[in-house]
Structures are given as structure tokens and as C-alpha cells.
Amino acid sequence: MNKENLKKLPKVNTLLEDKRISKYQKNMPYAKYISTIRTTIDTYRNLIVKDLILEFEVEDVFTSCIDNLKDQPKYNLQKVINASGTIIHTNLGRSLLSQDAMNHVMTVGLNYNNLEYNLEKEGRGSRYDHVEQLVCDLTGAEACVVVNNNASAVLLTLISTVTNGEVVISRGELIEIGGSFRVPEIMNYANTKLVEVGTTNRTHLNDYENAITENTKALIKVHTSNYKIIGFTKEVELQDMVDLAKKHNVISIEDAGSGNLIKLQKYTKLNEPTIQDSMSTGVDLVTFSGDKLLGGAQAGIIIGKKKYIDLIKANNLLRSLRVSKLTLAALEVTLNHYLEESEVIEKIPSMRMICENPQLVKKRAKSLKTKLSKLNNTKFNLIETKATIGGGAMPTETVDSYGLEVISDIRSTKLKTMLHNHKTPIVPLTANNKIVIDLKTITKDDYHVIVDFFEGLEWEILL
Ligand SMILES: *Cc1c(COP(=O)(O)O)cnc(C)c1O
């Protein structure tokens, strides 16, 4: 080791004082800025200690630091590569939007638009009109209103229709969704009394019936989207609950969760009920998410009988939960895809991933493996995996997929951190202390980034 070289290495403060470097500070989070400078110096120190560079100019450290800063993402919210195989990954932004949807978001965002302007009547219009007819056509509902997300859809529905009354719900459906959406708490906000019936694993129709009193305003069914009760179980079919509600003249409500509009069994082994199925029971109100199985932007869609949707539209709270113009732009295009089922499978990314033939995934896995085969220090096993639907949509359901298991001397925890710290962060599938790149959720543009990462890793190992 050349001690003179170590002494020559500039300090963090010296780099910070350089104007060519300090101008990057405003472009990125401060912690990222500092850590990039530190990492640059550390890399040089490492090379010096291992005698891998014998001579260098101080100026080289400056230019290398500037290059690294240029490479850093400018924003906190940034693209990551989902190599986890979870298709609707809530932590990674749930559904990807279709190209058509994004193009329309651009048009609406870059221009003035008729968000609340009625061009025919040449005056004030309503933002809630843009997708209402389309949703009704697709689902068979009488009326519809779209809000910020499904949690607000449930809250607004309850507050507008059953306040000061009792709502009957099965104990098996008292769910909490990640980010603390808890059914009992929502009921509390809505000032409704929750009447729990049945047991965790079994609820019968007469449990509902016995709980109905003169104060009962609604029967509600909640899709248990993030867990499954298995074994000795019994839940009441929506149809039976709806019929019972009618018989007793109370409202029937379903929180359907993910909002599936096509028969997935045509393409997969999955058998998720559709919103059309729900509507055909004659249920009064159904709510679902816009960014789960539907494959659109974050939104909550409320559909059902016009007289109840009108109550919801008249509620002042709607203003606080209102949907944005960018969401409406993306949602309208996404819903338009549903007018032609082939477009759903072709254009909506999460639907394409769910329905595509696993052999195509295997092909991609093989081709990525070939691309990476020239590396000496990292090897890859092509393995079968199960890609999960995720997103609070279908908790235990998977589709067949393929992945590359990484074989390396680097410990998997370290490797995972390195993947996360890559210029474009990569989130792998981790199972049994193994790192797997699942090909199901990787998009076309991601391949070269993954190849880049592992090629870079080769150098890290050598150094
Ligand atoms: C996901 C989910 C919600 C919450 O929906 P968001 O759109 O995330 O607000 C509520 N209920 C059920 C049953 C869900 O699956």
C-alpha cells in the first residue's frame, strides 16, 4: 500500500467546497448527496489499500465524484425494478398503467381540460361525469361515483347511507388492510354501530337474520383480500345476503376490494369473482379499488343503485375525498380497454402478467441467463417460481413463473442491499436465504439494467 497516496486522498469537506460538486446538492436529498461523495472517496481508498491503483491525480477523485452525482436519481420517488414476482405489489406502487393511459395523463396534465366544464352546456360541469357511463356499461350498475381510493369509497358509502344505524358484518370479514384500514374503525368514523355475527371461521345466513333489528340499516360483505380462512369454514354467499337484506328492507353493501372485471378462468387457473357477478345479485352498493386487479390508477369506485349513489354525491365529504384529474385521465383509458377483452390482456400490464403463458416467462428467463453466462463470479440457476397476484387482491393465489436464482459468494443479505442501492434499485424475490430474479414482473426496459448490475458486481468481487 502506498501511504502517500492515502494522504493525497481529499477529505469529504474538500469535495463539499468544490462548486462543481456543490451544485448537485439541490438536485437530490442531502443524505444521498453526502453518501455519494463518501462512497467515491471510499472506493479510491479501497483501490489504494489493495494496491490496485498506484498513481492518481487528486482531480480524478473530483471528476469521479461528479460522475457519480450525475448518475444519482434526482427524486425520492423513483423507478425501481420489481424482480419479486409479486404482480400487484402495494409497496411498489401496485398496478402499472398502460401506455395509452399514460399518454392521456400527459395530455390532460400538460393542457387545460374540461375537468369541471361542460362543453355542450357551455358552463360548469362535474368531474364525476367523465367515467360514470362507462363504468355503468361495463358493470351493469345504475350509477357510479369515483373517489380517491377504496378506503374512502367505503367510508363515504357508510357515512352517506347508514350513519346512526347498525350494520351487520361477519366476524370472518373484520379485516385490516396494510396501512391500517380497519373495518371497525371505519364504522366508528361513520358513526355506525357494528354488529358482528358468526365466528371467525363460520358464519351462516341465520346469524345475519338473527342480528337484524329495527335499527339495522345495512348488511355488509367485505372481500377478505389479504388473508384466507381455510379448513372448517362457511361464509354466506353475496346473493343470499342481498336477498336477506331485501326481505328486511335494509341496504346491502359489498366492499369487493380488488375490482376484477374479466373472467380470469379463461386464461388462468384463477377463479376470482367479477364485479358483474356482484351486480347481478341485485346488491345495492359495491366499492372497489382502481389500482388492484382493474389495473388503473389509485381510485375508489362506488357503483350501485342510483338513489344511494345520489346520496353519496350529495355528501359534503365527497369534496375531501375527491378524485384528481390525472387519476380520471388514467382511469378513463383503462376502463376503455375493458370494452375489448383482448385489449385488457394486451395493454393493461398487470392483466398481461397474470394471463400470459408461463412458457413465455421461461423464454425470457433463458435469454437473460444466456446474457449473464459470460460472468465468472456469479452463476444463475433457472428455477420455477410462483408469482403472487398480491396487492390485497388475491392473497393465496399464484401464477406459474420462472426466475434466476443467483449463485454467488456474496452473502444474500449483502447482495440484496447492493441490488437496492443500484442506480435503478432492483427488488428481488428472497426466499430461504436465496436471491431470485423473478422474470414475471420484469418489463422490457429492465433487462439491460439487471445485466448492468451483475456486470458491475463482477468488478466489485474482483476489487
Ligand atoms: C384494498 C382494499 C381496501 C382498500 O383499498 P384502497 O384502494 O387501497 O384504499 C379496502 N377493502 C378491501 C376489501 C380491499 O381489498
Side-chain angles (χ1 to χ4, degrees):
M1 170 184 33
N2 185 332
K3 287 209 168 120
E4 284 312 304
N5 269 345
L6 271 188
K7 270 193 205 144
K8 221 165 96 185
L9 205 55
K11 300 264 176 310
V12 173
N13 276 339
T14 321
L15 292 181
L16 281 175
E17 281 159 15
D18 189 281
K19 285 215 165 56
R20 291 168 303 166
I21 289 176
S22 62
K23 77 170 188 201
Y24 284 94
Q25 189 189 324
K26 63 179 184 306
N27 285 350
M28 65 182 77
Y30 192 72
K32 191 129 232 176
Y33 170 68
I34 289 288
S35 81
T36 309
I37 295 172
R38 286 224 165 91
T39 311
T40 311
I41 300 173
D42 288 347
T43 307
Y44 268 89
R45 183 174 299 113
N46 236 331
L47 292 168
I48 294 166
V49 169
K50 293 184 179 162
D51 278 334
L52 287 164
I53 45 172
L54 302 174
E55 255 177 67
F56 74 101
E57 298 296 325
V58 173
E59 179 58 20
D60 297 345
V61 185
F62 283 82
T63 36
S64 161
C65 184
I66 292 162
D67 285 345
N68 291 340
L69 286 166
K70 271 190 197 149
D71 264 359
Q72 289 304 316
K74 267 175 119 168
Y75 305 107
N76 282 316
L77 183 60
Q78 53 174 305
K79 168 183 171 161
V80 308
I81 289 176
N82 177 8
S84 73
T86 298
I87 296 170
I88 303 167
H89 197 309
T90 295
N91 301 147
L92 304 183
R94 287 198 184 153
S95 289
L96 310 187
L97 290 163
S98 73
Q99 186 63 54
D100 292 358
M102 277 321 295
N103 292 347
H104 194 48
V105 168
M106 286 257 276
T107 307
V108 168
L110 288 169
N111 296 281
Y112 291 107
N113 52 69
N114 62 340
L115 180 66
E116 293 189 346
Y117 190 80
N118 188 320
L119 292 163
E120 273 170 42
K121 294 184 183 150
E122 300 181 4
R124 198 181 153 80
S126 162
R127 71 175 61 216
Y128 299 102
D129 289 348
H130 297 288
V131 297
E132 178 164 12
Q133 192 55 51
L134 188 50
V135 175
C136 291
D137 290 347
L138 290 169
T139 59
E142 281 178 16
C144 159
V145 61
V146 177
V147 292
N148 183 53
N149 57 4
N150 190 29
S152 11
V154 176
L155 176 66
L156 185 64
T157 299
L158 294 174
I159 289 187
S160 312
T161 60
V162 297
T163 297
N164 300 324
E166 293 177 1
V167 176
V168 182
I169 186 171
S170 159
R171 288 203 167 86
E173 297 171 8
L174 289 169
I175 58 162
E176 172 177 318
I177 309 268
S180 67
F181 170 88
R182 289 178 155 188
V183 169
E185 281 164 25
I186 300 272
M187 298 276 184
N188 237 338
Y189 285 128
N191 210 11
T192 51
K193 184 168 167 230
L194 190 66
V195 179
E196 306 168 19
V197 298
T199 59
T200 304
N201 58 334
R202 288 174 75 84
T203 303
H204 304 268
L205 193 62
N206 61 7
D207 292 326
Y208 286 88
E209 186 146 34
N210 294 340
I212 296 175
T213 69
E214 59 191 21
N215 298 322
T216 305
K217 288 206 172 163
L219 309 183
I220 184 168
K221 220 175 144 48
V222 179
H223 190 75
T224 53
S225 47
N226 54 2
Y227 69 98
K228 198 165 199 141
I229 300 174
I230 51 172
F232 185 56
T233 66
K234 161 93 181 127
E235 67 173 304
V236 169
E237 295 293 329
L238 181 64
Q239 183 70 67
D240 296 334
M241 190 197 83
V242 169
D243 293 343
L244 184 67
K246 283 219 176 85
K247 181 174 147 197
H248 291 272
N249 216 6
V250 299
I251 307 173
S252 54
I253 302 172
E254 181 189 33
D255 171 7
S258 63
N260 172 37
L261 293 181
I262 66 165
K263 289 198 172 10
L264 289 170
Q265 61 268 39
K266 277 211 263 181
Y267 308 91
T268 66
K269 285 173 287 193
L270 307 170
N271 195 1
E272 175 80 353
T274 62
I275 296 297
Q276 295 89 321
D277 291 339
S278 292
M279 290 318 295
S280 70
T281 63
V283 64
D284 291 320
L285 289 164
V286 176
T287 75
F288 56 97
S289 284
D291 58 351
K292 291 183 178 173
L293 278 176
L294 190 74
Q298 179 194 303
I301 301 166
I302 312 170
I303 57 176
K305 302 273 158 63
K306 184 166 183 307
K307 65 172 174 180
Y308 298 118
I309 297 289
D310 284 347
L311 287 177
I312 292 168
K313 284 181 178 168
N315 191 322
N316 286 331
L317 188 62
L318 178 61
R319 174 63 182 79
S320 314
L321 308 174
R322 82 176 181 190
V323 61
S324 86
K325 62 181 178 184
L326 300 182
T327 302
L328 281 171
L331 190 62
E332 186 175 0
V333 177
T334 307
L335 291 165
N336 256 289
H337 292 320
Y338 279 91
L339 295 172
E340 196 65 63
E341 195 166 302
S342 59
E343 248 188 52
V344 174
I345 310 301
E346 221 174 279
K347 296 198 165 176
I348 300 179
S350 23
M351 277 298 172
R352 191 189 62 229
M353 291 178 202
I354 291 169
C355 297
E356 86 174 329
N357 183 336
Q359 288 311 311
L360 295 175
V361 190
K362 189 175 188 180
K363 247 189 179 160
R364 295 205 296 275
K366 272 188 175 159
S367 119
L368 182 62
K369 187 175 151 127
T370 310
K371 276 232 155 58
L372 293 167
S373 62
K374 58 179 184 289
L375 303 183
N376 293 317
N377 295 294
T378 319
K379 295 290 165 205
F380 299 87
N381 274 345
L382 199 161
I383 58 167
E384 284 181 20
T385 60
K386 296 279 177 206
T388 39
I389 310 298
M394 298 157 92
T396 54
E397 305 295 351
T398 60
V399 289
D400 293 342
S401 177
Y402 290 87
L404 298 184
E405 182 194 331
V406 186
I407 315 289
S408 158
D409 286 340
I410 300 176
R411 269 190 310 136
S412 59
T413 45
K414 168 118 193 271
L415 186 57
K416 189 174 166 190
T417 306
M418 292 170 87
L419 282 158
H420 282 144
N421 287 334
H422 190 55
K423 197 163 57 172
T424 305
I426 303 168
V427 181
L429 170 67
T430 46
N432 310 325
N433 256 335
K434 287 186 179 129
I435 299 282
V436 176
I437 303 296
D438 195 309
L439 275 284
K440 172 53 83 185
T441 40
I442 289 174
T443 59
K444 205 169 63 207
D445 301 336
D446 298 343
Y447 289 94
H448 73 275
V449 181
I450 292 171
V451 173
D452 259 11
F453 172 83
F454 284 107
E455 281 176 358
L457 189 65
E458 202 76 351
W459 287 104
E460 292 275 338
I461 295 168
L462 288 178
L463 299 181

